[in-house]
Amino acid sequence: MKLILFGAPGAGKGTQASKIADRLGVPTISTGNIIREAIAAGTELGKKVKEYSNAGKLVPDEVVIGMLSERISRADCANGFILDGFPRTIAQAEALDALGVEIECALSLEVPDEDIERRMTGRRSCPACGETYHIIYNPPTSEGRCDKCSAELIRRADDAPETVQARLAVYHEQTEPVKAYYDAKGKLKTVDGRQAVEKVTEDAYAALGI
């Protein structure tokens, strides 16, 4: 099964993608994680990408598509995958079609902007494995430590209030139209992302029929 998970920054995509991936036995592919790996490696591409990321702007399509194409060609994606953070634009959706990738469902987590802004201050992520948490809604078992790899959790620079607002503006302008693209194909399903994590997961499973 090849899925796309939509939602504004902080809507809970990372958390739900992890749960759905475990249920299906397929990998989650987060373009955010791919980008952060490039930044951490200090490559020339990583340096360029960092400027866009810190400013809350989208990385150029050709760069993201190239990284994604390489990732989904790996053996662990043979039985499907979940895309988290891609496609963000109509052009990227069309590029995905051009790669011959047949998406079975696009699932959107719906959360109002005001709720997103409150959530972001409590979000934490693992710089080692990419797992995401929230100090209230989805806390790690050990405070400040990743459950999967025990690395120290961090609050990303792009969770700053002004950056969050910039990212939301970009999302509404460029990404929301992509939902209409998949709705027209009869592949869009929505879930109320304001609910408790467990309820969102339950509704997501039901929407996907898994």
Side-chain angles (χ1 to χ4, degrees):
M1 183 177 282
K2 298 179 178 68
L3 309 174
I4 295 172
L5 197 55
F6 284 121
K13 296 190 304 300
T15 297
Q16 297 304 325
S18 179
K19 293 177 180 296
I20 295 169
D22 287 344
R23 180 92 160 196
L24 294 174
V26 299
T28 296
I29 300 175
S30 166
T31 52
N33 287 343
I34 294 175
I35 288 170
R36 283 189 287 278
E37 286 172 8
I39 293 174
T43 62
E44 286 304 311
L45 174 60
K47 292 175 183 177
K48 291 181 180 179
V49 167
K50 186 175 183 179
E51 295 178 7
Y52 289 97
S53 181
N54 286 349
K57 297 179 180 179
L58 295 179
V59 178
D61 283 355
E62 61 272 18
V63 176
V64 178
I65 292 166
M67 291 189 293
L68 181 70
S69 179
E70 186 279 328
R71 179 64 186 87
I72 64 176
S73 69
R74 299 179 192 175
D76 64 338
C77 292
N79 295 321
F81 49 79
I82 300 171
L83 295 181
D84 172 7
F86 187 96
R88 292 176 186 253
T89 65
I90 294 294
Q92 289 182 353
E94 293 173 342
L96 195 60
D97 290 342
L99 288 175
V101 178
E102 181 64 29
I103 296 299
E104 296 173 59
C105 180
L107 182 68
S108 179
L109 304 182
E110 300 292 324
V111 182
D113 284 4
E114 55 269 26
D115 290 351
I116 292 292
E117 292 185 35
R118 283 195 296 269
R119 285 183 177 190
M120 298 294 263
T121 58
R123 190 166 72 169
R124 301 292 183 270
S125 61
C126 177
C129 72
E131 191 72 6
T132 58
Y133 301 88
H134 193 282
I135 59 176
I136 297 174
Y137 306 117
N138 183 37
T141 302
S142 298
E143 186 175 353
R145 292 286 176 181
C146 178
D147 290 347
K148 290 192 173 182
C149 69
S150 298
E152 185 175 356
L153 302 177
I154 62 171
R155 184 168 77 179
R156 288 163 26 196
D158 55 2
D159 284 342
E162 61 275 13
T163 304
V164 171
Q165 291 166 9
R167 294 173 70 200
L168 284 170
V170 169
Y171 176 78
H172 291 305
E173 179 183 352
Q174 298 189 21
T175 305
E176 284 195 329
V178 184
K179 292 193 293 186
Y181 180 86
Y182 287 102
D183 193 21
K185 293 175 177 285
K187 297 182 178 181
L188 180 69
K189 296 185 179 182
T190 61
V191 170
D192 184 351
R194 295 172 296 179
Q195 307 171 97
V197 172
E198 294 77 11
K199 177 58 176 172
V200 175
T201 302
E202 179 183 331
D203 288 357
Y205 288 169
L208 296 172
I210 60 175

